[in-house]
Amino acid sequence: MVAAAMFRAAAMVMLLALSLSACQAQLSSTFYAETCPNALSTIRTSIRSAIARERRMAASLIRLHFHDCFVQGCDASILLEDSPSITSERSVLQNLNSVRGFEVIEQAKSAVENVCPGVVSCADILAVAARDASEYVGGPLWTVNLGRRDSTDASPSLAARDLPRFTDSLQTLINLFETKGLSERDMVALSGSHTIGQARCVTFRGRIYNNASDIDAGFASTRRRNCPATAPNGDGNLAPLDLVTPNQFDNNYFRNLLQRRGLLQSDQVLFSGGSSDSIVNEYSRNPSTFSSDFASAMVKMGDIEPLTGSPGIIRRICSRVN
């Protein structure tokens, strides 16, 4: 009897410990309420200043968070530079010469370190920066869950495998997002972030010169003016992803797709006779639905495999391990 009672007590202690560990591992919107109450306002001020200097930075910061979360979870691994022990994710095809905004995150990190050193992770700063960037250009707001920690390594091989490519088919995109716990609807909503920002000629050259039926001839002609047919001429020349309102977060991206004016092939496949056509149609008609779904999808994306509790570290400088 005594042994049984002791066993039950030990089991109860174990369950309590596991329960407490699970609770501690969960992200929370109030994670820094006690340890760094001014963290969010400090990040917000820094991000708003950066976008005020360069409007395009809003799109870059949202994309940076996305490219972080899709590679071994939202752990700021994308921010790590090459070192003797680390091969950066920045050099893979999907990131090379295109991901940007690193200095903006470092500036925000520095500002937060001045307020409460060693407390706020770079991964959380990325998540907050994406939300603040959206708000600044007229996009939705959402409550950011916090408590992520930073990785001590990067994974170029996972980045090459898991990040979407501008030539991907609809089914490939659906599969990539599903492996991260995101639905087809989430994928279409998140693609709507292309309502802001710009793309390089090298990413859309094939589309505007292939004379296919899925691109408006006038749109293709306009884009050819600043994107020569022969590589590497003009590879880095930029064009807005949304020709209509490139600096305003709205639903024109989806209206463009209906008119066969998606700049990237991976944009236009969302409206090409496939399963996502109905979602694109819905978002083109209902900007509030798109806005709401985008916010929800960003929260889900931000919750992909975060490091919480004891794993990981709080980097003092986001580009390198302490």
Side-chain angles (χ1 to χ4, degrees):
M1 292 287 290
V2 174
M6 290 178 66
F7 177 81
R8 285 195 298 271
M12 185 66 78
V13 169
M14 183 75 74
L15 282 171
L16 277 170
L18 288 171
S19 176
L20 181 60
S21 175
C23 289
Q24 289 174 336
Q26 290 176 353
L27 301 180
S28 165
S29 62
T30 58
F31 188 82
Y32 297 113
E34 300 295 330
T35 56
C36 191
N38 294 323
L40 297 188
S41 60
T42 302
I43 297 169
R44 184 173 185 266
T45 297
S46 187
I47 297 305
R48 289 177 68 87
S49 295
I51 300 172
R53 290 192 298 271
E54 184 196 4
R55 190 83 171 183
R56 180 189 173 202
M57 188 55 67
S60 299
L61 293 173
I62 293 172
R63 185 166 184 257
L64 197 57
H65 179 42
F66 167 64
H67 279 228
D68 177 39
C69 290
F70 261 54
V71 182
Q72 63 185 30
C74 307
D75 61 357
S77 62
I78 195 171
L79 302 180
L80 290 169
E81 295 177 342
D82 284 327
S83 74
S85 61
I86 291 172
T87 302
S88 176
E89 295 167 11
R90 304 186 191 187
S91 60
V92 303
L93 178 65
Q94 297 95 316
N95 290 330
L96 186 63
N97 298 322
S98 64
V99 285
R100 57 196 299 274
F102 300 104
E103 74 287 352
V104 174
I105 299 300
E106 290 288 10
Q107 290 162 5
K109 173 64 171 174
S110 178
V112 173
E113 286 292 297
N114 288 335
V115 176
C116 39
V119 174
V120 182
S121 69
C122 298
D124 276 346
I125 290 174
L126 273 173
V128 175
R131 188 271 310 273
D132 293 345
S134 170
E135 180 200 16
Y136 192 87
V137 292
L141 269 173
W142 56 90
T143 300
V144 179
N145 294 323
L146 303 164
R148 302 167 190 80
R149 290 169 66 81
D150 299 323
S151 65
T152 55
D153 63 351
S155 181
S157 60
L158 289 181
R161 184 193 74 182
D162 292 350
L163 289 172
R165 299 169 184 258
F166 58 84
T167 54
D168 280 345
S169 67
L170 176 61
Q171 193 57 54
T172 297
L173 292 171
I174 291 171
N175 293 343
L176 282 174
F177 278 72
E178 282 184 346
T179 61
K180 303 301 178 183
L182 298 167
S183 67
E184 181 177 9
R185 191 175 183 88
D186 294 327
M187 182 269 290
V188 177
L190 290 170
S191 298
S193 64
H194 284 183
T195 188
I196 53 175
Q198 301 186 62
R200 295 180 304 135
C201 166
V202 68
T203 64
F204 59 85
R205 175 183 285 119
R207 173 160 162 74
I208 62 174
Y209 283 101
N210 68 4
N211 296 311
S213 61
D214 68 345
I215 187 168
D216 175 77
F219 174 74
S221 177
T222 299
R223 293 280 68 93
R224 288 173 190 155
R225 294 174 193 164
N226 197 39
C227 183
T230 306
N233 297 326
D235 275 5
N237 292 356
L238 297 171
L241 287 156
D242 171 13
L243 186 63
V244 185
T245 52
N247 293 314
Q248 182 70 24
F249 197 106
D250 53 31
N251 70 331
N252 274 327
Y253 167 81
F254 299 104
R255 295 177 179 176
N256 294 337
L257 297 184
L258 299 186
Q259 299 171 21
R260 297 176 297 138
R261 294 177 181 174
L263 184 61
L264 305 179
Q265 189 62 37
S266 56
D267 289 324
Q268 194 60 55
V269 294
L270 302 184
F271 190 79
S272 56
S275 57
S276 58
D277 281 15
S278 60
I279 307 172
V280 172
N281 261 314
E282 182 181 359
Y283 289 161
S284 72
R285 296 192 309 267
N286 301 301
S288 60
T289 301
F290 162 55
S291 182
S292 175
D293 283 2
F294 179 81
S296 296
M298 287 295 289
V299 172
K300 287 176 68 175
M301 187 185 77
D303 288 349
I304 296 175
E305 300 175 12
L307 291 173
T308 57
S310 56
I313 61 174
I314 304 297
R315 291 189 221 137
R316 290 189 294 271
I317 296 174
C318 293
S319 59
R320 63 174 186 257
V321 176
N322 298 343

